[in-house]
Amino acid sequence: MATETRPAFRDQLQAQWDQGKFACVGLDPVYERIPQHIRSQYGRPDVAMSDFCNRIIETTGDIALAFKPNLAFFERYEGGDENLMDVIGEIHDSFPGVPVIGDGKRADIGATNEHYAALFDKYGFDAMTTNPYLGGDTFPSLVKGHEDKGLIVLCRTTNPGSKELQEMPISILQATAGELLSNSEFKEICAMYEEGTDPISMFMPVYEIVAFLAAKRWGINGQFGLVVGATAPEAFAPVRAIAGDIPFLIPGIGTQGGDLEKTLKYAPDSNKQGMIINSGSAIIFASSGEDFAEVARAKTIELDRQIREGLGIA
C-alpha cells in the first residue's frame, strides 16, 4: 500500500471525539458467516471477505469513530495480505478522517519489532495493538520512524482467563525493593492511596501496574492507549484514575455481553471523551441476508445513539 500523509493518531481521535463519535466497527470477517450470496459470487475466500468488508465500510464509515481489522481473520487465507490492504484502502479513500487500528497484538524483542513496525506502512495502520509482556524497552523499536502512530497496550482483556495473570496482586513495596519500580514511581503510587496507608498493605493487580507504566513510563509522544474490556467494568475507574486521559480501546460490547451503561459511567476521560468503543460481530453479522450492510448500518447507528444518550450529548 502506498503510504500517504495522515494526521497523527491522537489528532485523528480528537477530531472524531469532537464530533461525538465513539463507536468503533471491528472487522473480523469469518468466511463461513459471510452471506451466502457473496460467497457464491467469488471463488476465493479472501475476495469474498474483501467485498463483504468494503460494503460494511460503505454503510458505517460516516458513523464510526474508527475501524479495527483483526489481522488473524485476514492472514489465515492465501491472498489475505492483499485483501487487508484493499479493505484499508477503501477506508482511506472513502473516509479519510477515520483512523484504522490494526489488531494484531504484536510484540517482540527490538530487532523483531522493527519488522512489525513496517506494518504501519504496509497496511496503512494509524495504530496497532500490542502486549506488554516483554516490557517497555521493546516499544521504541515498534514505533521507530512512526512516532505519530498509536500503540494500544493490552491492559484488562475480555476473556475469562485473563484473571489468571491480569488480576494477580503485586506488592508495591516489594516491586520497588526489587527495582521494578523506581523510588519516584513508588512515591507517585503511594500518593494515589489514602493518606496514612501503610505501604506494606498496598497491592495492585497486574493490569493496574500495566496502566501505570504505559501512562507514566512508556509513553512516547502521547502515543499509548490501553485495551480495557467492557466485560470487566470494575477496571475502568481504577485504570482511569491511574492513567489519566489516555485513550481506552474498549472491546466486549455486543456478543460478548459487555456493560455499556457502566462503560459510559466509568470509562470517559476528564473531557467525557477518551473512548474507542468497539463492536464487531454484533454489527457485521447482524444479518446473513442481502440486506447485511444496511442492517450493519442500523446497528452502528443504534450503538452511536446509545453512547450519545449515555454521555448526554446531542
Side-chain angles (χ1 to χ4, degrees):
M1 171 177 288
T3 303
E4 62 202 75
T5 301
R6 292 173 61 80
F9 177 60
R10 286 297 296 267
D11 293 339
Q12 291 176 305
L13 289 180
Q14 191 59 58
Q16 295 287 80
W17 290 330
D18 288 345
Q19 297 177 57
K21 295 182 177 182
F22 297 90
C24 176
V25 177
L27 298 175
D28 309 333
V30 178
Y31 176 69
E32 292 75 15
R33 297 185 66 183
I34 291 175
Q36 178 60 39
H37 72 280
I38 293 182
R39 283 184 286 152
S40 62
Q41 185 177 350
Y42 301 101
R44 290 169 44 186
D46 60 307
V47 180
M49 289 165 54
S50 179
D51 187 23
F52 172 76
C53 288
N54 286 345
R55 295 195 200 184
I56 296 287
I57 291 163
E58 289 169 5
T59 59
T60 62
D62 61 324
I63 310 159
L65 158 73
F67 286 102
K68 184 178 72 64
N70 189 311
L71 275 65
F73 289 81
F74 297 88
E75 291 178 336
R76 66 169 293 187
Y77 293 106
E78 183 178 356
D81 281 6
E82 291 79 8
N83 170 216
L84 181 54
M85 286 187 277
D86 176 68
V87 167
I88 295 173
E90 174 66 26
I91 299 170
H92 288 180
D93 291 343
S94 298
F95 303 99
V98 176
V100 179
I101 301 169
D103 189 4
K105 305 171 182 70
R106 304 292 172 84
D108 210 309
I109 62 170
T112 305
N113 270 350
E114 291 183 13
H115 295 279
Y116 283 143
L119 298 183
F120 283 118
D121 293 330
K122 177 179 179 179
Y123 293 121
F125 295 142
D126 299 296
M128 289 196 292
T129 57
T130 185
N131 80 70
Y133 195 75
L134 278 76
D137 65 347
T138 65
F139 294 127
S141 58
L142 188 55
V143 290
K144 184 178 181 181
H146 302 86
E147 285 74 17
D148 58 341
K149 303 297 185 180
L151 288 179
I152 305 179
V153 180
L154 299 180
C155 179
R156 182 62 173 88
T157 58
T158 57
N159 58 304
S162 62
K163 295 181 179 180
E164 295 173 358
L165 291 177
Q166 294 170 17
E167 292 191 359
M168 188 178 296
I170 302 294
S171 165
I172 302 305
L173 194 62
Q174 289 179 338
T176 306
E179 298 184 351
L180 299 177
L181 293 170
S182 67
N183 288 331
S184 62
E185 289 169 337
F186 173 73
K187 292 177 181 177
E188 189 167 359
I189 290 174
C190 286
M192 298 178 187
Y193 288 79
E194 183 178 350
E195 186 176 355
T197 301
D198 186 348
I200 294 177
S201 67
M202 291 167 46
F203 287 80
M204 294 173 70
V206 168
Y207 73 82
E208 290 186 14
I209 296 290
V210 169
F212 179 86
L213 293 174
K216 310 294 185 180
R217 183 192 292 183
W218 298 338
I220 304 168
N221 300 325
Q223 287 178 301
F224 277 89
L226 293 169
V227 174
V228 187
T231 54
E234 68 278 1
F236 287 131
V239 171
R240 183 58 79 192
I242 290 167
D245 287 348
I246 197 169
F248 286 1
L249 172 58
I250 303 171
I253 296 296
T255 56
Q256 289 181 284
D259 193 321
L260 182 59
E261 181 179 356
K262 289 183 178 178
T263 295
L264 298 177
K265 182 176 181 180
Y266 297 112
D269 66 13
S270 61
N271 298 310
K272 295 184 70 174
Q273 297 179 338
M275 298 177 295
I276 307 165
I277 301 176
N278 185 77
S279 181
S281 58
I283 289 176
I284 68 174
F285 296 127
S287 171
S288 59
E290 295 191 5
D291 63 347
F292 74 94
E294 290 73 24
V295 175
R297 177 177 179 81
K299 288 291 185 180
T300 309
I301 289 173
E302 175 62 14
L303 177 58
D304 177 75
R305 181 193 64 77
Q306 292 174 333
I307 294 171
R308 288 173 181 268
E309 288 185 357
L311 293 176
I313 60 178

